[in-house]
Amino acid sequence: MTHHIQREHLVVIGNGMAGCRAVEEILARDPNRYRVTIFGAEPRVNYNRIMLSPLLAGEKSFDEIVINDAAWYADNGIELVSGDAVTAIDRAARTVTARSGKVVGYDRLLIATGSDPFIIPVPGASLPGVVSFRDLDDVDAMLRAAEGGGDAVVIGGGLLGLEAAHGLSLRGMKVTVLHIMPTLMERQLDEAAGWLLKTALEERGQAVLIGADTAEIMGDGKVEGVRLKDGREIPASLVVMAVGIRPNVALAREAGVAVNRGIVVDDNMVTSDPAILAVGECAEHRGMVYGLVAPIWEMCRALADALTTLPSGYAGSVTSTKLKVAGLDVFSAGDFSGGEACEDIVLRDASRGVYKRVVVKENRVVGAVLYGDTADGGWYFDLLKRGEDVAPIRDALIFGQAFASGGGQADPKAAVAALSDDAEICGCNGVSKGQVVSCIAKGARSLDAVRASCKASASCGSCTGLVENLLALTLGDDVQSGPKTMCSCTSFGHDDVRREIVAQDMRSIPEVMQKLHWGTPDGCSSCRPALNYYLLCALPGEYADDQQSRFVNERMHANIQKDGTYSVVPRMWGGITTPQELRAIADVVEKYDAPMVKVTGGQRLDIFGIRKEDLPAVWADLNAAGMVSGHAYGKALRTVKTCVGSEWCRFGTQDSTGLGVKLERGFWGSWMPHKFKMAVSGCPRNCAEATIKDFGVVCVDSGYELHVGGNGGIHVRVTDLLVKVATEAEAIHYAAAFVQLYREEARYLERTAPWIERVGLQHVKDRIVADEADRDELAARFWFSQQFMQDDPWAERAAGRQRDYLHRPLAEVRPLKQLEGAEA
Amino acid sequence: MMSEWLDVGAVADVPLRGARAVPIAGGEEIAVFRTGAGRVYALVNRCPHKAGPLSQGIVHGDSVACPLHNWVISLASGEALGQDKGCTPTIPVEVRSGRILICRDAALKLAA
Ligand code: SRM
Ligand SMILES: Cc1cc2nc3c(=O)[nH]c(=O)nc-3n(C[C@H](O)[C@H](O)[C@H](O)COP(=O)(O)OP(=O)(O)OC[C@H]3O[C@@H](n4cnc5c(N)ncnc54)[C@H](O)[C@@H]3O)c2cc1C
Ligand code: SF4
Ligand code: FES
């Protein structure tokens, strides 16, 4: 090396992926331009940090993940100062000082200090046994902890956390992943893919707790477990914190270099000081900080160009992510959160566990999420980066490159036409194209008819599109459209969806959407409330109600009014009230300035004009007087109207008020397909209008006539007589069986009247009157589910235990008055 | 100089597929939405149909169904979708370090 003296001295702080890559790029362009010194805080050569995951999992050794071995530094005349962190930069003197006291002068300084793992500041965070996942020392610490087996908790369900969890499981630990958000890897995945991932991890034996907020790491001298804010405790001898990273900017900030979230650099990676550059995770370029290597490689190229030949300028990167967990294929790229003019193309194949979603905006791919089959990830990412016009292959895009690029095959109909007769159409039921075509030839003229005759598309529905194309090919315009689907998100009708939820034991909305191939990422305002109800009905006590899938009234437990205020109707059992209740209602009306209080058509009092913010206080006051929610807002039991009955009325035959109160006390709180009204009249004069109710009782001398399917609403329908019984107990028993049959069979938003018209009174009688065992089972299922339903939603809210933020604004903006003379 | 953006709270304070309201003293409310995919939007909290409070609707995809008569409003453009015609003003919003920032000028105009 002859020009030693004249060469500029380039000092690099950080012997990591960016620092070394930058040096490699510079050497490749001009090996003689700079004399290079690299400081590294870690006591070792540069290795491939992303391979720490396979290292932890035992799939790689350290030697296999070294990028630049000692020979590389020597061969290129690079001085490596390892195990010695730089502690200060003196910009005026152009020197750096290391922990050891070593001082080195520079002409150019490159800061490549990467990021620091973020440690959540909870009690116990510094206990031995709490580690982060960033460098080799962390992996060593985890491997030591894993030697004894035992329990590990990983805090953070992002890429790093899941890779740590995977590695620790393979090393024999029992792993629980705690994730604060509702979806795993929420920054890379949408809800549907996150759900699939969670299910797959659980199948592999990991416990995944979502919405888990850590309160404390417990332990005396060493980690013993983690306590969550909701009180749950999880034992652990190892806690890995993988909740995020922060750009490591302390050195630059102390030296007075401009720092925002990261060290601010221009397109040539130069900081606010022209002699200092920054690259990698510590750098902030055009407002972006990156945490992946692909953008770092691009930065390093631009940096080397500027330092040696001609500046090329870095313009920012679009990124893609892959999870490095063997057997779990997860890919995401670009912006898949939707947005203006964005269109989602979704393909779900439940039998193969595949979910693909490509987001297209103005005929360009702008984002993609792939789960289960990531083979086309690179292709979508390439289309995205090149901004290619995908209009010509739009219809076949989601099927992947092989299909979409096949020239004439880009038309799905043509692709189906080209299939051989033996080609399998329906994987679930093993139906070939030839069989579908012959069943169409034999007269099946609709999707439904095909499903009924040869079973194609009758199970998971993923081949629905293929079957529809075959129908169109074979019949042209003669295809009959099938029964109405739930909404445009799905090709299934309500009954199919309900049947499959039970048959396949589905347990959450994302699961239903995946298994039944929903065409939208998170449904719409028609299907979400319906699915929420169907799951609630199918899994009493187990299903966690999704509040965001409920209409406003059910979410707020009050009826919204045209001016955005709410009306409040407390329950009045059987229409009976007391002076205390009336007084409490009167007090509420005055205290909260309610503009109106009215006697309703359902024999109760309705308080109008309550502000959203005041609802919890109003409920607390009403609760204090012993009243609970009247569910005047709910697809649930509304009122049980009663008349005076035998206790007072000169015609009364039975205690109609007493029975009404019993019914209301037994049935309140149950969620139903639609609202449900009852009434009990004490004699056939029927003052309580029992014969236009969903379930009406008309008392007679010899017992109780039970009437069903009445409706006083838009289309008045008089009830049908179901049966006559002798005792109150029987009346209540039949009511339970009837309500449960309705809950299990009716479509969402179908009241009993249209339901009975559809299925026929005979069907209802067959199940409830003729079949005693069936009746008993229905009633038993109803009472079982009731034990989970009768929590007063008002009490929970009023106590501030549940979602009370719903009633508070996020923030309030109070513009300051402009003061005279004062500068704004 | 006052900053151009107002910090109205943490992203995590708005439920996924939900919304929260931000009243402007002496004026209208702003509705801040968070979609299932985690994107944040802000609109004036008033449906173009009959002024329904959009923050109380069901959020799906990048739209919200108004709680009063089920018009579906695009969160990105404020336009009514489908057959319905009308538009709600959008408020520029940004997310930085987990905080929601709304445009100061646009917010203050609502107070006028
Ligand atoms: C308050 C009340 C009117 C009154 O002041 O008397 C009322 C008020 C409303 N009714 Fe009603 N109905 C009221 C008794 C009735 C009755 C009479 C009865 O229950 O004995 C009927 C006919 C009986 C029936 O339902 O079969 C009735 C048939 C309807 C219908 C038509 C239902 C149908 O199946 O066709 C609707 C619309 C709907 O539910 O989709 C409706 C919907 C509504 C809604 C919930 C409209 C809405 O979605 O905002 C009104 C809510 C006002 C509020 O904010 O409180 N209301 N409504 C009555 C409340 C009773 C109670 O104490 O809970
Ligand atoms: C377990 C794991 C898995 C990952 N998987 C992937 C993946 O699959 N795909 C992907 O694209 N990315 C992945 N990443 C991220 C990727 O590793 C980083 O983006 C990349 O390493 C950043 O490079 P960097 O040089 O900026 O920082 P680093 O590689 O962290 O290098 C910075 C170096 O600077 C040193 N340093 C800090 N301060 C000083 C100082 N004052 N003096 C001297 N030295 C100092 C540090 O010790 C460190 O060695 C993963 C990261 C981890 C931890
Ligand atoms: S008509 Fe009505 S009030 Fe009179 S007896 Fe019969 S039930 Fe009682
Ligand atoms: S006010 Fe929004 S739909 Fe009518």
Side-chain angles (χ1 to χ4, degrees), chain B residues 47-54 66-71 73:
Chain B
C47 177
H49 179 218
K50 291 190 174 169
L54 294 174
C66 176
L68 292 194
H69 318 97
N70 213 27
W71 277 28
I73 310 297

Side-chain angles (χ1 to χ4, degrees), chain A residues 796-812:
Chain A
E796 288 179 4
R797 284 286 170 84
R801 281 200 301 275
Q802 245 209 356
R803 298 170 62 85
D804 58 329
Y805 67 83
L806 283 177
H807 303 278
R808 282 183 276 114
L810 178 62
E812 204 169 342

Side-chain angles (χ1 to χ4, degrees), chain A residues 553 558-561 565-570 596 598-608 630-633 635 638-639 641 674-679 688-689 692-694 710-717 749 751 753-754, chain B residues 67-68:
Chain A
N553 289 357
N559 291 60
I560 196 166
Q561 306 296 310
T565 63
Y566 290 82
S567 72
V568 172
V569 189
M596 179 166 96
K598 167 177 191 308
V599 178
T600 71
Q603 301 184 333
R604 311 194 282 193
L605 288 167
D606 193 347
I607 310 164
F608 287 91
H631 291 87
Y633 48 80
K635 310 291 173 235
R638 295 285 179 91
T639 62
K641 268 172 134 167
H674 205 315
K675 61 189 179 189
F676 194 94
K677 298 176 177 183
M678 300 196 194
E689 300 161 326
I692 50 161
K693 295 291 175 267
D694 296 281
N711 194 330
I714 305 162
H715 303 287
V716 181
R717 180 178 194 273
L749 295 188
R751 279 193 69 177
Chain B
L68 292 194

Side-chain angles (χ1 to χ4, degrees), chain A residues 662-702:
Chain A
K662 281 185 196 144
L663 283 170
E664 192 159 357
R665 290 215 179 261
F667 287 71
W668 75 277
S670 168
W671 294 108
M672 313 225 196
H674 205 315
K675 61 189 179 189
F676 194 94
K677 298 176 177 183
M678 300 196 194
V680 187
S681 287
C683 82
R685 289 169 191 76
N686 195 9
C687 297
E689 300 161 326
T691 47
I692 50 161
K693 295 291 175 267
D694 296 281
F695 184 86
V697 183
V698 176
C699 303
V700 290
D701 275 324
S702 53

Side-chain angles (χ1 to χ4, degrees), chain A residues 30 211 483 623:
Chain A
D30 186 349
N623 276 166

Side-chain angles (χ1 to χ4, degrees), chain A residues 181-182 191 335 337-340 522-525 528 546 548 550 552 555 560 566 612 805 808-814, chain B residues 8 15-18 20-25 34 37 39 41 53 56-62 65 67-68 70 76-77 111:
Chain A
M181 304 302 287
E191 191 181 18
D335 183 358
S337 54
E340 196 169 3
D522 60 1
C524 69
S525 57
R528 285 231 313 270
D546 177 22
Q548 299 312 128
R550 285 192 175 268
V552 56
R555 214 181 318 127
I560 196 166
Y566 290 82
K612 179 172 77 182
Y805 67 83
R808 282 183 276 114
L810 178 62
E812 204 169 342
V813 176
R814 301 191 160 276
Chain B
V8 292
L16 276 181
R17 277 177 267 98
R20 300 279 301 272
V22 177
I24 309 293
R34 182 156 165 241
R39 189 183 273 257
Y41 294 99
Q56 305 289 71
I58 289 185
V59 177
H60 54 98
D62 287 279
L68 292 194
N70 213 27
S77 65

